[in-house]
PDB file of all heavy atoms in Angstrom:
ATOM      1  N   ILE E 429     -23.656  15.912  13.421  1.00 92.00           N
ATOM      2  CA  ILE E 429     -24.997  15.323  13.494  1.00 92.00           C
ATOM      3  C   ILE E 429     -25.395  15.089  14.943  1.00 92.00           C
ATOM      4  O   ILE E 429     -26.526  15.382  15.350  1.00 92.00           O
ATOM      5  CB  ILE E 429     -25.055  14.016  12.676  1.00 92.00           C
ATOM      6  CG1 ILE E 429     -24.929  14.315  11.187  1.00 92.00           C
ATOM      7  CG2 ILE E 429     -26.345  13.251  12.953  1.00 92.00           C
ATOM      8  CD1 ILE E 429     -24.748  13.087  10.319  1.00 92.00           C
ATOM      9  N   GLY E 430     -24.461  14.580  15.736  1.00 91.00           N
ATOM     10  CA  GLY E 430     -24.733  14.358  17.161  1.00 91.00           C
ATOM     11  C   GLY E 430     -25.045  15.655  17.883  1.00 91.00           C
ATOM     12  O   GLY E 430     -25.961  15.714  18.715  1.00 91.00           O
ATOM     13  N   LEU E 431     -24.287  16.705  17.587  1.00 91.00           N
ATOM     14  CA  LEU E 431     -24.576  18.007  18.203  1.00 91.00           C
ATOM     15  C   LEU E 431     -25.929  18.555  17.768  1.00 91.00           C
ATOM     16  O   LEU E 431     -26.630  19.196  18.551  1.00 91.00           O
ATOM     17  CB  LEU E 431     -23.461  18.998  17.875  1.00 91.00           C
ATOM     18  CG  LEU E 431     -22.123  18.720  18.553  1.00 91.00           C
ATOM     19  CD1 LEU E 431     -21.062  19.689  18.049  1.00 91.00           C
ATOM     20  CD2 LEU E 431     -22.240  18.784  20.054  1.00 91.00           C
ATOM     21  N   GLY E 432     -26.297  18.278  16.522  1.00 90.00           N
ATOM     22  CA  GLY E 432     -27.634  18.666  16.062  1.00 90.00           C
ATOM     23  C   GLY E 432     -28.723  17.963  16.855  1.00 90.00           C
ATOM     24  O   GLY E 432     -29.727  18.578  17.229  1.00 90.00           O
ATOM     25  N   PHE E 433     -28.520  16.689  17.126  1.00 87.00           N
ATOM     26  CA  PHE E 433     -29.500  15.961  17.929  1.00 87.00           C
ATOM     27  C   PHE E 433     -29.517  16.450  19.372  1.00 87.00           C
ATOM     28  O   PHE E 433     -30.552  16.414  20.028  1.00 87.00           O
ATOM     29  CB  PHE E 433     -29.243  14.464  17.875  1.00 87.00           C
ATOM     30  CG  PHE E 433     -29.800  13.799  16.652  1.00 87.00           C
ATOM     31  CD1 PHE E 433     -28.974  13.184  15.743  1.00 87.00           C
ATOM     32  CD2 PHE E 433     -31.164  13.791  16.413  1.00 87.00           C
ATOM     33  CE1 PHE E 433     -29.477  12.579  14.610  1.00 87.00           C
ATOM     34  CE2 PHE E 433     -31.695  13.188  15.291  1.00 87.00           C
ATOM     35  CZ  PHE E 433     -30.843  12.583  14.384  1.00 87.00           C
ATOM     36  N   VAL E 434     -28.389  16.902  19.880  1.00 88.00           N
ATOM     37  CA  VAL E 434     -28.372  17.474  21.233  1.00 88.00           C
ATOM     38  C   VAL E 434     -29.215  18.736  21.271  1.00 88.00           C
ATOM     39  O   VAL E 434     -29.975  18.968  22.220  1.00 88.00           O
ATOM     40  CB  VAL E 434     -26.921  17.752  21.691  1.00 88.00           C
ATOM     41  CG1 VAL E 434     -26.892  18.608  22.937  1.00 88.00           C
ATOM     42  CG2 VAL E 434     -26.195  16.445  21.940  1.00 88.00           C
ATOM     43  N   VAL E 435     -29.115  19.557  20.225  1.00 87.00           N
ATOM     44  CA  VAL E 435     -29.946  20.759  20.155  1.00 87.00           C
ATOM     45  C   VAL E 435     -31.415  20.379  20.095  1.00 87.00           C
ATOM     46  O   VAL E 435     -32.251  20.985  20.759  1.00 87.00           O
ATOM     47  CB  VAL E 435     -29.540  21.626  18.937  1.00 87.00           C
ATOM     48  CG1 VAL E 435     -30.529  22.734  18.687  1.00 87.00           C
ATOM     49  CG2 VAL E 435     -28.143  22.184  19.136  1.00 87.00           C
ATOM     50  N   VAL E 436     -31.744  19.351  19.313  1.00 85.00           N
ATOM     51  CA  VAL E 436     -33.128  18.878  19.243  1.00 85.00           C
ATOM     52  C   VAL E 436     -33.562  18.361  20.608  1.00 85.00           C
ATOM     53  O   VAL E 436     -34.704  18.571  21.042  1.00 85.00           O
ATOM     54  CB  VAL E 436     -33.269  17.780  18.164  1.00 85.00           C
ATOM     55  CG1 VAL E 436     -34.609  17.083  18.250  1.00 85.00           C
ATOM     56  CG2 VAL E 436     -33.080  18.376  16.790  1.00 85.00           C
ATOM     57  N   THR E 437     -32.650  17.691  21.307  1.00 85.00           N
ATOM     58  CA  THR E 437     -32.961  17.179  22.644  1.00 85.00           C
ATOM     59  C   THR E 437     -33.337  18.311  23.583  1.00 85.00           C
ATOM     60  O   THR E 437     -34.293  18.201  24.361  1.00 85.00           O
ATOM     61  CB  THR E 437     -31.744  16.429  23.217  1.00 85.00           C
ATOM     62  OG1 THR E 437     -31.464  15.327  22.372  1.00 85.00           O
ATOM     63  CG2 THR E 437     -32.007  15.937  24.615  1.00 85.00           C
ATOM     64  N   LEU E 438     -32.606  19.388  23.529  1.00 84.00           N
ATOM     65  CA  LEU E 438     -32.848  20.500  24.444  1.00 84.00           C
ATOM     66  C   LEU E 438     -34.088  21.316  24.091  1.00 84.00           C
ATOM     67  O   LEU E 438     -34.641  21.988  24.953  1.00 84.00           O
ATOM     68  CB  LEU E 438     -31.627  21.420  24.472  1.00 84.00           C
ATOM     69  CG  LEU E 438     -30.349  20.780  25.024  1.00 84.00           C
ATOM     70  CD1 LEU E 438     -29.192  21.742  24.880  1.00 84.00           C
ATOM     71  CD2 LEU E 438     -30.531  20.354  26.462  1.00 84.00           C
ATOM     72  N   THR E 439     -34.520  21.271  22.835  1.00 86.00           N
ATOM     73  CA  THR E 439     -35.618  22.139  22.419  1.00 86.00           C
ATOM     74  C   THR E 439     -36.933  21.421  22.152  1.00 86.00           C
ATOM     75  O   THR E 439     -37.985  21.879  22.580  1.00 86.00           O
ATOM     76  CB  THR E 439     -35.228  22.921  21.152  1.00 86.00           C
ATOM     77  OG1 THR E 439     -34.895  21.999  20.126  1.00 86.00           O
ATOM     78  CG2 THR E 439     -34.070  23.846  21.420  1.00 86.00           C
ATOM     79  N   VAL E 440     -36.900  20.298  21.446  1.00 84.00           N
ATOM     80  CA  VAL E 440     -38.155  19.731  20.945  1.00 84.00           C
ATOM     81  C   VAL E 440     -38.479  18.359  21.544  1.00 84.00           C
ATOM     82  O   VAL E 440     -39.518  18.186  22.174  1.00 84.00           O
ATOM     83  CB  VAL E 440     -38.102  19.618  19.400  1.00 84.00           C
ATOM     84  CG1 VAL E 440     -39.397  19.042  18.866  1.00 84.00           C
ATOM     85  CG2 VAL E 440     -37.839  20.964  18.776  1.00 84.00           C
TER      86      VAL E 440
END
Side-chain angles (χ1 to χ4, degrees):
I429 292 170
L431 290 175
F433 278 117
V434 168
V435 170
V436 169
T437 298
L438 296 175
T439 58
V440 180

